[in-house]
Amino acid sequence: MPSFLDLGVPAPLATVLAESGKSEPFPIQRDTLPDSLAGRDLLGRGRTGSGKTIAFAIPLVARLTGQKARPGHPRGLVLAPTRELASQIAAVIAPLAQVAGLRVTTVFGGVSQRPQEDALRRGVDIVVACPGRLEDLMKQGVVHLDAVAVTVLDEADHMADLGFLPGVTRILSATPSGGQRLLFSATLDGGIDVLARRFLSRPVSHEVDEASVPVGDMTHRVLEIADADGKKDLVNALASGTGRRILFTRTKHQAKKLAKQLTASGIPAVDLHGNLSQGARERNLAAFSGDPADGGVRVLVATDVAARGVHVDGVDLVVHVDPPAEHKAYLHRSGRTARAGAAGTVVTVLLPEQRRDVKDLLRKARITVGIEQVSADARAVQDLVGERAAFVRPAPPQAPATRPAAKKKPSSAPRSAEGGRRSAPGAGNGAPASAGGANRRRRRPRSGQGAQGAGRPRG
């Protein structure tokens, strides 16, 4: 088994990797690094958890070492589909960049752009960005891509699924045509082929065999429950163990609702979905990553925004509370567990009317597993959950802030700013009184007429 040094990785970068426990390259790193370090364009396919981030972080940093970027003109660019993935990519790159004397920043929406502007104007070497915010800053003249020497597209297929390809095309067109381009994706179909043909020059392709990816013992289970009430009890049971677990729902509303229900039932949970601000996302991920003894939680309820890019060690159970719409989403969700050699279990919960769709989903995902008919208290479920976590009393709801009682107005109407008197509350038809009303005799309008009819009493 070759080491990182054997593959041509500079010694300072190999040392950083070794210090973080990464001494042996994964297959996708072993296959791609000789070509990417040589400066060749590259098309790499590997599923989530295969080690793609380090596979492109090493050549990115190695290529940029020794030169500084001008303010507003980064030399390295990584495009990612989600904020979470961008943040985690930057966290992987940062220690490698630090030893090389390079600066890294993230650019994505959902947060104030001022800190991003300030970082770019001070000068950064590597930008890890989501396409939308990056295009905004390009249009504002805050960032220019004319000096980019290495461009990386990560999770390119997911960007295609999210409709980002037109923006990605415009961004790539703004980078120098002679720069190195590395495209990594879990699949290489659809619009990815178009991007590769247009922007990659004589690329080397590497497709990592799924069997060679270091997954641990991933066990798949499919549990059928009779009705919606039984499903609620079953999900509660699956969430109640002592290990970390991620529960996937289809919609943002369902994720928020389920996290609240679990917390109210003594199982602290946080949610992760597209409606949360970036600050809330980061707080919830930090809570899920934290030690429960120090205020962390064991349960994350998420939409597919967490299916890629969110890496938390020690997730031993993934639950498809709502089966996903297509098989790629199933595989990416499931990939949150059994990562880098660890063991994990994937459970799909289904109602009887979903049986046909789930069978089709599993067939496309090449997962062979039987359907178990269970109840929440079935022995199979108890064995799956294992030791139950202690009940955590939910914090009492905060009483809504009450407004101070309005002071009763004096019987005499106060004077207006113009010097007249305003009508007392409830007087007339509720229409505002005209200025100078103190010098006028109040008259009642004729029936069917407005203010212009005032002046003649009703007969």
Side-chain angles (χ1 to χ4, degrees):
M1 174 74 69
S3 68
F4 283 109
L5 287 173
D6 295 332
L7 296 173
V9 176
L13 303 187
T15 299
V16 171
L17 294 171
E19 289 173 348
S20 62
K22 302 175 180 69
S23 57
E24 293 186 359
F26 285 178
I28 196 166
Q29 298 157 9
R30 186 178 64 240
D31 291 352
T32 62
L33 281 172
D35 289 318
S36 58
L37 286 167
R40 301 191 65 178
D41 284 6
L42 190 142
L43 196 58
R45 185 188 69 82
R47 71 165 185 80
T48 182
S50 61
K52 297 192 300 291
T53 305
I54 289 176
F56 64 71
I58 291 172
L60 173 65
V61 172
R63 174 78 178 272
L64 303 182
T65 299
Q67 298 184 47
K68 285 294 183 182
R70 292 176 288 143
H73 295 261
R75 301 187 60 246
L77 173 64
V78 182
L79 292 178
T82 67
R83 309 175 215 171
E84 286 73 25
L85 183 54
S87 295
Q88 296 206 64
I89 290 171
V92 172
I93 295 174
L96 298 169
Q98 184 177 13
V99 76
L102 302 176
R103 291 163 294 182
V104 183
T105 196
T106 53
V107 166
F108 46 69
V111 295
S112 169
Q113 76 173 39
R114 179 61 62 83
Q116 299 169 6
E117 291 179 33
D118 293 343
L120 289 164
R121 286 177 175 139
R122 285 193 301 269
V124 295
D125 302 282
I126 299 170
V127 171
V128 184
C130 294
R133 173 60 63 84
L134 180 61
E135 277 206 282
D136 287 344
L137 296 181
M138 291 167 63
K139 291 173 184 175
Q140 296 170 40
V142 176
V143 62
H144 307 273
L145 305 183
D146 57 330
V148 171
V150 183
T151 304
V152 180
L153 269 66
D154 191 26
E155 301 284 8
D157 59 331
H158 194 30
M159 283 196 270
D161 293 342
L162 295 175
F164 287 155
L165 288 193
V168 170
T169 300
R170 291 188 292 269
I171 290 168
L172 287 175
S173 298
T175 64
S177 59
Q180 183 181 15
R181 288 161 178 166
L182 310 174
L183 190 154
F184 285 83
S185 182
T187 59
L188 299 178
D189 50 10
I192 309 307
D193 290 336
V194 176
L195 279 180
R197 286 195 302 270
R198 178 171 176 183
F199 292 106
L200 273 62
S201 174
R202 298 192 299 275
V204 181
S205 295
H206 292 282
E207 299 195 22
V208 176
D209 179 14
E210 297 293 326
S212 69
V213 176
V215 300
D217 180 15
M218 183 184 288
T219 303
H220 295 265
R221 304 278 293 272
V222 180
L223 306 183
E224 181 178 317
I225 194 74
D227 52 37
D229 288 338
K231 177 178 176 178
K232 181 179 178 180
D233 294 338
L234 175 59
V235 170
N236 256 47
L238 293 171
S240 65
T242 56
R244 283 198 182 99
R245 50 213 60 210
I246 301 179
L247 280 55
F248 281 100
T249 65
R250 278 205 182 178
T251 69
K252 306 166 189 176
H253 172 72
Q254 289 169 316
K256 180 178 179 180
K257 181 180 178 182
L258 180 55
K260 286 185 175 181
Q261 288 176 346
L262 291 172
T263 301
S265 65
I267 305 170
V270 291
D271 52 338
L272 184 65
H273 50 78
N275 277 353
L276 293 177
S277 69
Q278 185 61 25
R281 290 186 183 199
E282 291 174 357
R283 286 192 299 273
N284 288 358
L285 274 175
F288 183 56
S289 303
D291 187 341
D294 296 325
V297 302
R298 296 181 174 90
V299 180
L300 175 68
V301 186
T303 60
D304 284 337
V305 73
R308 304 198 194 197
V310 174
H311 172 62
V312 177
D313 290 328
V315 175
D316 59 13
L317 180 64
V318 165
V319 180
H320 301 285
V321 175
D322 300 318
E326 44 91 32
H327 72 284
K328 287 196 294 184
Y330 177 91
L331 294 172
H332 288 302
R333 287 178 174 189
S334 302
R336 298 309 97 199
T337 188
R339 295 174 68 87
T345 302
V346 178
V347 172
T348 301
V349 176
L350 66 91
L351 296 169
E353 59 268 25
Q354 296 173 308
R355 174 184 278 256
R356 181 174 179 178
D357 289 340
V358 170
K359 281 186 173 181
D360 186 55
L361 178 81
L362 295 172
R363 178 183 56 79
K364 291 178 179 177
R366 299 181 181 179
I367 303 296
T368 303
V369 61
I371 296 178
E372 307 170 58
Q373 294 180 330
V374 300
S375 61
D377 56 358
R379 170 58 63 183
V381 176
Q382 295 178 34
D383 291 343
L384 184 60
V385 174
E387 181 185 356
R388 302 287 180 110
F391 174 88
V392 177
R393 186 177 300 279
Q398 294 182 348
T402 57
R403 295 181 179 179
K407 293 182 179 179
K408 190 175 182 180
K409 293 185 177 180
S411 57
S412 59
R415 290 186 177 274
S416 69
E418 294 82 8
R421 293 185 182 275
R422 292 196 290 265
S423 300
N429 296 331
S434 62
N439 298 323
R440 297 181 184 175
R441 182 185 307 159
R442 184 176 295 169
R443 300 184 179 97
R444 288 185 292 180
R446 286 188 297 176
S447 176
Q449 295 181 339
Q452 293 178 355
R456 182 181 300 175
R458 287 185 294 179

